[in-house]
Structures are given as C-alpha cells and as structure tokens.
Amino acid sequence: MKEQPTRPPQSQRDDLDIVAELFYRQYDILFHLTAQMLAATTLDDKLSLVLDAITSELGYSHAALALLDHDTGVLQVRMAIGFPDDSDISQMILPGKFASTVEPTNAARRPLWIQRSNGGQDASFLDAVKSPTDLLALPLFGGRWLYTT
C-alpha cells in the first residue's frame, strides 16, 4: 500500500505570525502616511496622499474622499481615484441617508456599506459613480486640516 504524503497541520503560531505581519504592515503604512501628510502644505496634497495610500498601499481599486461642510451639513466628494471618470465624482454631493444608516447624520460618524442590494439611494449612488461593486464608506476624523476655507 502506497502512502500519500500529507501536509502537517498549520500551527496556531503561524496564524498569529500572519496576523502580526498584517498589523505591522498597516501600522507602517499609517506611520509613513502621517509623516508625508505633516510635510504636505495644502488640503488637496493631503487628500491625494490618503487616496494614494488606499489604492497603492492597501490595494483597493478605487477610493473617494468626501468632506462634511459643518455649516450646511452637506457631505461632498472632494477627490476620487480609480473610478471610470474621477472628475465626475469629485464635487458630487452624497445623499444624506443611505439604506444602511439609521439616521441621516450617521454617514459622517460611522463606517457603512453602500450596497446595491439595499436599493433606493444606495443603488442610485452606485450607478451615479459607475461602481461595479458595493462600497465601504469610512469617516475621517482629523481636526482642523479637514475643513475647507
């Protein structure tokens, strides 16, 4: 009888090493991004650095950054990358309430999925930005440099 070679089971330590490496890589990306942003002088330069990190360092195919106008409560896209027409998305005003939010102002405070399966404004928004996939919206909290003047 011929024995089949078997692969030894992976140890839990190997899994922990993989997770630790991932956390280290993410920390390293954020550390370098922070250093670059401290040297950037304009808001557009800072936003561009964030978009570059999201796409090239973290591997996402497309990303957009929206800023909240505290006077009007409007959430407006300031910069985008990786969409079929980035310039069409820039300056787009985001709906006040996606189906995945509980309250209209939630989009400015918590991460949320913008999903085509939710229908309504979610699907309309994904169609407007020509996104073939659902999108994850993450809020940025960064202090005064995020305000437009």
Side-chain angles (χ1 to χ4, degrees), residues 8-19:
Q10 222 178 7
S11 72
Q12 186 178 9
R13 184 69 191 149
D14 290 341
D15 292 342
L16 291 176
D17 288 343
I18 291 170
V19 170

Side-chain angles (χ1 to χ4, degrees), residues 116-130:
R116 193 169 299 283
S117 63
N118 288 338
Q121 288 195 29
D122 285 33
S124 297
F125 176 74
L126 293 172
D127 289 341
V129 298
K130 300 178 180 102

Side-chain angles (χ1 to χ4, degrees), residues 13-121:
R13 184 69 191 149
D14 290 341
D15 292 342
L16 291 176
D17 288 343
I18 291 170
V19 170
E21 181 63 29
L22 176 63
F23 286 142
Y24 173 76
R25 183 179 181 306
Q26 291 171 341
Y27 172 80
D28 192 49
I29 290 167
L30 292 174
F31 178 80
H32 285 97
L33 176 60
T34 302
Q36 291 173 332
M37 289 180 73
L38 289 171
T41 56
T42 67
L43 177 62
D44 284 345
D45 289 344
K46 292 175 184 188
L47 296 179
S48 181
L49 287 168
V50 171
L51 287 176
D52 287 343
I54 292 169
T55 55
S56 65
E57 297 291 334
L58 297 175
Y60 290 93
S61 61
H62 50 284
L65 292 172
L67 300 179
L68 180 66
D69 183 330
H70 289 281
D71 295 333
T72 63
V74 170
L75 192 60
Q76 185 173 4
V77 176
R78 177 69 182 254
M79 194 175 286
I81 189 170
F83 291 90
D85 191 349
D86 295 336
S87 61
D88 277 354
I89 294 169
S90 295
Q91 305 305 315
M92 179 181 281
I93 294 176
L94 301 179
K97 182 177 181 180
F98 288 103
S100 54
T101 60
V102 177
E103 58 188 72
T105 58
N106 191 39
R109 287 191 249 141
R110 293 186 187 177
L112 63 96
W113 279 105
I114 303 169
Q115 299 174 307
R116 193 169 299 283
S117 63
N118 288 338
Q121 288 195 29

Side-chain angles (χ1 to χ4, degrees), residues 1-14:
M1 188 162 131
K2 188 175 180 183
E3 287 188 38
Q4 294 288 346
T6 59
R7 187 175 186 185
Q10 222 178 7
S11 72
Q12 186 178 9
R13 184 69 191 149
D14 290 341

Side-chain angles (χ1 to χ4, degrees), residues 124-143:
S124 297
F125 176 74
L126 293 172
D127 289 341
V129 298
K130 300 178 180 102
S131 178
T133 61
D134 295 341
L135 297 176
L136 176 62
L138 297 170
L140 293 177
F141 301 100

